Amino acid sequence: MSIAENISRVQERIVAAARRAARDPDEITLMGVTKTFPVGRIREAYAAGLRVFGENRVQEFAGKTDALRDLRDTEWHLIGHLQTNKAGKAAELFDAVDSVDSVRMAEKLNASAESAGKTLSVLIEINVGCEKAKSGVAPNSDEQGSGELEKILRGAPRWGNLRIHGLMTVPPYTEDPEGSRAYFRQLRQIRDSIAARDLPQVSMVVLSMGMSHDFEVAIEEGATCVRVGTAIFGERAKT
């Protein structure tokens, strides 16, 4: 199937999952994850109507930007782990960074965005499975401020060039998509508890969770953005 046909099929599945959960499908953003895929395939997805894209590595995306500069009304999100020494380049290239996992990273991005004369949208990445191999802050937070998540939430008013819009997660992988459900539900509960506090300069409108194999379960559990690569672009070449 073509990329356009794949996008259409994914959108049909999004609509069906939203209806099962009595949700409005228009509340859900489809992000095409384009890491390792060439510019030509990204342009095919754009021609098919996709406008929100996610890349995992700053340097890889830097090599694509010139060839994509003419695409209008796009949003480019960094969804992979960001090293602090690449914060400046990330702030320059991306519209949003969906993987903030420390106060230090937030401060670096804010300073870099200020230097670039722009405002960055950011999501806080939560490591819901507490996996040592994955980035993200621990899911437990307390209002006394001892956890990294709480420190980021309290730091938000200091960062005038960042806008915290919600949370992101990558749960532990399971072959059965149902294995992700408890983690997606946990992230939604964390989001709800933060939103209820009505913190200054913190919005919780975005819940980015779910990928090609489990995005329907994520939608049923409240996802507002699903990050889909393989189901749109096909299998990635083995490196």
Side-chain angles (χ1 to χ4, degrees), residues 150 152 157 197:
E150 187 64 29
I152 295 170
R197 293 167 60 188

Side-chain angles (χ1 to χ4, degrees), residues 115-193:
S115 296
K118 65 192 289 188
T119 300
L120 269 180
S121 295
V122 300
L123 302 181
I124 304 169
E125 182 176 4
I126 309 290
N127 186 346
V128 285
C130 298
E131 296 173 277
K132 291 182 179 178
K134 285 183 181 173
S135 54
V137 299
N140 57 314
S141 180
D142 60 83
E143 295 186 27
Q144 282 67 50
S146 61
E148 194 70 15
L149 173 56
E150 187 64 29
K151 290 176 183 176
I152 295 170
L153 294 173
R154 288 176 178 267
R158 301 199 305 268
W159 305 319
N161 290 77
L162 299 186
R163 295 291 179 269
I164 296 176
H165 285 306
L167 307 177
M168 184 270 268
T169 200
V170 181
Y173 181 81
T174 60
E175 290 290 339
D176 182 358
E178 282 296 324
S180 299
R181 188 178 295 277
Y183 295 106
F184 293 149
R185 188 171 295 167
Q186 181 185 8
L187 192 73
R188 173 168 50 88
Q189 291 168 344
I190 294 169
R191 188 274 311 271
D192 291 348
S193 67

Side-chain angles (χ1 to χ4, degrees), residues 8-238:
S8 179
R9 176 65 183 135
V10 168
Q11 288 171 332
E12 288 171 2
R13 291 167 63 189
I14 288 172
V15 170
R19 286 178 176 162
R20 284 195 299 274
R23 296 184 61 200
D24 180 355
D26 290 338
E27 295 175 352
I28 300 150
T29 298
L30 171 59
M31 177 188 292
V33 178
T34 51
K35 66 175 184 181
T36 77
F37 291 116
V39 165
R41 298 177 88 175
I42 298 171
R43 296 184 77 91
E44 280 185 65
Y46 179 88
L50 206 61
R51 293 293 182 269
V52 181
F53 299 91
E55 285 275 340
N56 278 57
R57 296 179 179 89
V58 175
Q59 288 308 113
E60 182 189 341
F61 183 58
K64 300 176 181 179
T65 51
D66 284 346
L68 297 168
R69 208 175 296 279
D70 61 310
L71 302 188
R72 302 298 179 192
D73 303 317
T74 52
E75 284 183 27
W76 300 100
H77 292 241
L78 178 65
I79 59 175
H81 177 64
L82 178 62
Q83 296 171 316
T84 52
N85 64 350
K86 293 180 180 173
K89 194 67 175 174
E92 175 190 328
L93 294 175
F94 291 95
D95 302 300
V97 174
D98 295 354
S99 50
V100 170
D101 61 1
S102 69
V103 168
R104 183 165 176 252
M105 175 52 63
E107 289 174 342
K108 287 272 190 178
L109 280 173
N110 181 66
S112 298
E114 184 177 11
S115 296
K118 65 192 289 188
T119 300
L120 269 180
S121 295
V122 300
L123 302 181
I124 304 169
E125 182 176 4
I126 309 290
N127 186 346
V128 285
C130 298
E131 296 173 277
K132 291 182 179 178
K134 285 183 181 173
S135 54
V137 299
N140 57 314
S141 180
D142 60 83
E143 295 186 27
Q144 282 67 50
S146 61
E148 194 70 15
L149 173 56
E150 187 64 29
K151 290 176 183 176
I152 295 170
L153 294 173
R154 288 176 178 267
R158 301 199 305 268
W159 305 319
N161 290 77
L162 299 186
R163 295 291 179 269
I164 296 176
H165 285 306
L167 307 177
M168 184 270 268
T169 200
V170 181
Y173 181 81
T174 60
E175 290 290 339
D176 182 358
E178 282 296 324
S180 299
R181 188 178 295 277
Y183 295 106
F184 293 149
R185 188 171 295 167
Q186 181 185 8
L187 192 73
R188 173 168 50 88
Q189 291 168 344
I190 294 169
R191 188 274 311 271
D192 291 348
S193 67
I194 294 171
R197 293 167 60 188
D198 195 23
L199 296 168
Q201 304 303 313
V202 174
S203 165
M204 284 287 129
V205 295
V206 177
L207 207 53
S208 177
M209 58 188 192
M211 296 183 285
S212 288
H213 73 294
D214 59 9
F215 70 83
E216 289 148 306
V217 174
I219 289 169
E220 291 169 3
E221 292 300 329
T224 67
C225 177
V226 292
R227 310 183 303 273
V228 179
T230 303
I232 292 174
F233 299 100
E235 293 293 336
R236 290 179 173 84
K238 300 296 182 185

